[in-house]
Amino acid sequence: MTGVWALAALWLGLALIASLLSIWFRISTALSEIVVGTIAQLIIGAVIGAAIFGTDESWVKFLSGIGAIVLTFLAGAELDPVVFKLKWKEAVAVGLASFIFPFLGCAAAAHYLLGWELMPSWLAGVAMSTTSVAVVYAVMLEFGFNVTDYGKTVLAACFVTDLGTVVALGLIFAPFTMKTLIFLGVGVVVFVVLPWLTPRFFRLYGNRPSELEAKYLLLCLLGMGALAAWADSEAVLPAYLIGMVLAGTVGKDHALVRRLRTLTFGLLTPFYFIRAGSFVSIPALVAAPAAFLVMLVVKVFCKMVGVYPVTKFYKSPNKEAMYTTLLMSTGLTFGTISALFGLSRGIIDQDQYSALVAAVIASAVIPTVIANAFYLPRQLLPDPALEAKQPPDAEATPLRRISGKADELRRK
């Protein structure tokens, strides 16, 4: 076990460094962990050997995978049913535009500009159409937007985008078999039963030192994740749906959410984000940067063409509209999952996989850094002290009106 403890200490040491960098440079911890993972893999690979970093160790994959699952669940649990009912049209419109435009644009660019075959091009379109719920939720949590109507609407739009990605991946590539039907049938039953069962179970047996609530939720998440993997789907999709259907129960239990965040951000997500960053091969990108640059530029351009006009249609201020567009341009979880799906099934080769993963991870970093540096809508921050420093913004009035309606509905 000496090697395991040493490797775990290395990864958590990198996570600590990433946290310090996020504080010093005022960027999201998730993004700093991605960057630290990329640089660490480059340095350790050059000095000692890439295998020492341990990205293929089974326990590292497990912690990384469960980190993505629980983080995605927490993002789903942050959705406010009242706010979603008020703004579902905007969330669906933004989410669909965020999926359709880059899906078609990146597939066309891969086929006509890079000369990829038809099926690899469609796979590129799927991988680049995603919006990272993990990154967006981490950013929302970092600035406190997760408790605002604005943040809940953006997270709902992320779900719509990634749902389109998963559906496209399944319809184009994944076989629709009896396993798929079983997964869908069990999923429908679980999503119907959980909102009824969970609050009653928690009232009877919850609030004890044994942390029964956390064990119950992890059982649901891992059980549905195993069923999804068995049916050739992805474990993070049922995790997000479970979070959504339990938003009225788990999402309102602030103490439970805080404990889950401690587990997730303290131990699990550093493995996920650092491992994701370690997949980027900087020497390979320097040697052949064309595919990476084309995919990254086309993705961000298509996201802007699709999302920005929709946000303006719903009367978002310029800064808020650009901030939303840039956050919707991020990609990570489903993008890397889609690329790995294509590689493991021989749809794309290693070079195409590297270019797609690098573009996906770059899209998680670059748009978010730009958004937080230049377009952060400070008038929406929940901190009254920060909000008081900003001059009155007449353009923010529509969102405040919606917030007032949401509060009124909650009181009723």
Side-chain angles (χ1 to χ4, degrees):
M1 293 293 292
T2 303
V4 173
W5 303 137
L7 187 57
L10 170 64
W11 280 71
L12 291 175
L14 293 175
L16 180 61
I17 293 172
S19 297
L20 291 173
L21 291 175
S22 72
I23 295 171
W24 295 337
F25 294 101
R26 298 183 179 181
I27 61 175
S28 168
T29 304
L31 299 182
S32 65
E33 287 172 350
I34 293 171
V35 174
V36 166
T38 302
I39 297 174
Q41 174 72 356
L42 178 66
I43 296 175
I44 293 175
V47 175
I48 304 176
I52 299 298
F53 200 53
T55 53
D56 289 328
E57 293 286 336
S58 59
W59 64 270
V60 173
K61 290 181 179 179
F62 169 75
L63 291 177
S64 172
I66 197 173
I69 290 172
V70 180
L71 183 62
T72 305
F73 165 79
L74 286 173
E78 292 284 354
L79 297 179
D80 191 325
V82 176
V83 175
F84 187 74
K85 288 178 182 178
L86 275 174
K87 302 191 70 178
W88 70 269
K89 292 182 181 179
E90 181 178 352
V92 171
V94 170
L96 287 178
S98 175
F99 162 71
I100 293 172
F101 280 81
F103 170 63
L104 298 176
C106 291
H111 187 63
Y112 295 107
L113 296 181
L114 300 177
W116 291 9
E117 297 294 331
L118 188 60
M119 296 308 286
S121 298
W122 284 122
L123 194 284
V126 170
M128 302 309 297
S129 68
T130 60
T131 294
S132 175
V133 173
V135 171
V136 173
Y137 177 64
V139 172
M140 293 286 143
L141 199 62
E142 196 93 16
F143 291 100
F145 287 129
N146 60 300
V147 299
T148 66
D149 293 351
Y150 167 75
K152 295 174 189 296
T153 305
V154 172
L155 286 171
C158 292
F159 168 72
V160 174
T161 299
D162 286 342
L163 182 61
T165 297
V166 172
V167 170
L169 188 66
L171 291 178
I172 298 174
F173 300 104
F176 191 87
T177 63
M178 185 58 67
K179 292 182 178 180
T180 310
L181 290 176
I182 295 173
F183 169 61
L184 293 175
V186 173
V188 169
V189 173
V190 169
F191 301 143
V192 170
V193 170
L194 278 181
W196 176 86
L197 175 64
T198 302
R200 291 166 174 78
F201 187 69
F202 283 4
R203 277 198 299 269
L204 283 174
Y205 303 106
N207 295 318
R208 287 175 169 81
S210 60
E211 294 292 351
L212 175 140
E213 297 94 335
K215 296 171 184 174
Y216 170 86
L217 292 173
L218 288 173
L219 171 63
C220 296
L221 294 173
L222 296 180
M224 286 302 299
L227 186 62
W230 174 75
D232 290 327
S233 183
E234 296 299 338
V236 288
L237 177 60
Y240 199 87
L241 292 172
I242 291 173
M244 286 186 65
V245 299
L246 293 182
T249 301
V250 177
K252 293 180 180 179
D253 189 340
H254 301 296
L256 174 58
V257 170
R258 193 158 46 245
R259 296 197 299 271
L260 289 174
R261 285 178 187 165
T262 301
L263 169 67
T264 305
F265 287 93
L267 175 64
L268 301 177
T269 56
F271 284 89
Y272 172 69
F273 287 120
I274 292 174
R275 186 170 182 265
S278 70
F279 288 146
V280 178
S281 174
I282 295 179
L285 295 178
V286 172
F292 158 70
L293 292 174
V294 167
M295 288 292 100
L296 177 61
V297 171
V298 171
K299 172 180 178 170
V300 175
F301 174 77
C302 290
K303 291 275 188 179
M304 289 186 174
V305 169
V307 175
Y308 187 81
V310 175
T311 59
K312 295 302 295 179
F313 176 81
Y314 285 95
K315 297 181 173 58
S316 293
N318 291 331
K319 179 177 283 191
E320 182 183 323
M322 184 57 73
Y323 191 76
T324 301
T325 302
L326 288 169
L327 286 186
M328 296 301 293
S329 300
T330 61
L332 190 61
T333 311
F334 284 116
T336 53
I337 285 172
S338 299
L340 187 58
F341 177 92
L343 180 67
S344 62
R345 286 162 174 77
I347 300 169
I348 56 176
D349 59 30
Q350 186 67 47
D351 292 339
Q352 292 168 332
Y353 170 80
S354 298
L356 289 177
V357 170
V360 165
I361 295 176
S363 73
V365 177
I366 297 173
T368 312
V369 170
I370 295 173
N372 291 334
F374 300 104
Y375 298 102
L376 184 68
R378 296 185 180 278
Q379 76 277 5
L380 303 180
L381 290 171
D383 187 351
L386 289 175
E387 189 172 353
K389 295 179 182 179
Q390 300 300 318
D393 187 349
E395 290 187 308
T397 304
L399 182 67
R400 293 194 178 105
R401 283 202 300 267
I402 290 170
S403 300
K405 291 180 182 177
D407 293 337
E408 183 179 349
L409 284 176
R410 290 191 189 96
R411 288 194 294 271
K412 291 180 180 179

